[in-house]
Amino acid sequence: MADALPVVIVAVTVIAALIAVVTLASSGRSYDQIGRGGLSLRDGSDRPAGEPAPSGAVAARQRDEEIRQMLEARNERRRRRGLEPVDVEAELRALDRPAIDPALEAEVRALVVARNERRARRGQEPLDVDAEVARQLRDLGGA
């Protein structure tokens, strides 16, 4: 019986290895399908696969509506705690206003000052620095 133990161990190991190879070969792309069941988000969104992505205006309106709902829920929690509610529309406008990076504003201001110096050398009227900085940042989408 002791002589048969090494033979049984080798036989079981060889059979298990063969089964593993056959399973691996027949699995195809099963590994790629992990997490892709009926409840998965597929492409990272929760809309059905055939539904097109909303356009820019529609997406912005949906985003604003969702933000408004969250702000109203926060106001409701504030009311329950006995605190004053905040103005939802003012908060939405403040959140919608993009933050301007101070380094970007300083760089734009330096460019406007340099442009004014060039204009002065050419005999042209200088630009209003603050107004031009605001316009440049607005054109860049920063304000």
Side-chain angles (χ1 to χ4, degrees):
M1 185 69 125
D3 295 334
L5 185 61
V7 173
V8 170
I9 291 176
V10 169
V12 168
T13 304
V14 168
I15 291 172
L18 288 175
I19 291 173
V21 169
V22 169
T23 303
L24 180 65
S26 67
S27 68
R29 298 184 53 121
S30 295
Y31 184 75
D32 294 336
Q33 299 301 318
I34 293 175
R36 304 241 192 263
L39 298 176
S40 70
L41 297 179
R42 289 181 291 281
D43 63 347
S45 70
D46 57 351
R47 66 180 179 275
E51 183 179 320
S55 68
V58 173
R61 191 171 46 248
Q62 287 174 348
R63 183 200 65 212
D64 288 347
E65 184 57 34
E66 289 176 2
I67 292 172
R68 187 173 286 111
Q69 289 173 1
M70 288 189 286
L71 290 172
E72 288 172 358
R74 186 178 71 177
N75 266 348
E76 183 59 32
R77 285 193 314 271
R78 288 178 62 90
R79 278 190 210 101
R80 288 180 185 168
R81 287 185 294 189
L83 300 173
E84 268 309 302
V86 295
D87 182 18
V88 172
E89 294 303 319
E91 285 286 316
L92 183 61
R93 282 191 303 275
L95 290 171
D96 207 22
R97 188 177 330 118
I100 299 173
D101 183 22
L104 175 64
E105 185 176 7
E107 186 174 343
V108 170
R109 184 173 299 281
L111 290 172
V112 170
V113 168
R115 183 178 301 142
N116 272 346
E117 290 172 359
R118 286 193 305 273
R119 290 175 64 93
R121 283 194 301 264
R122 287 185 290 200
Q124 295 176 331
E125 183 178 317
L127 301 170
D128 178 20
V129 175
D130 291 328
E132 185 64 15
V133 167
R135 186 190 68 77
Q136 292 276 332
L137 290 173
R138 190 175 46 252
D139 289 349
L140 289 172

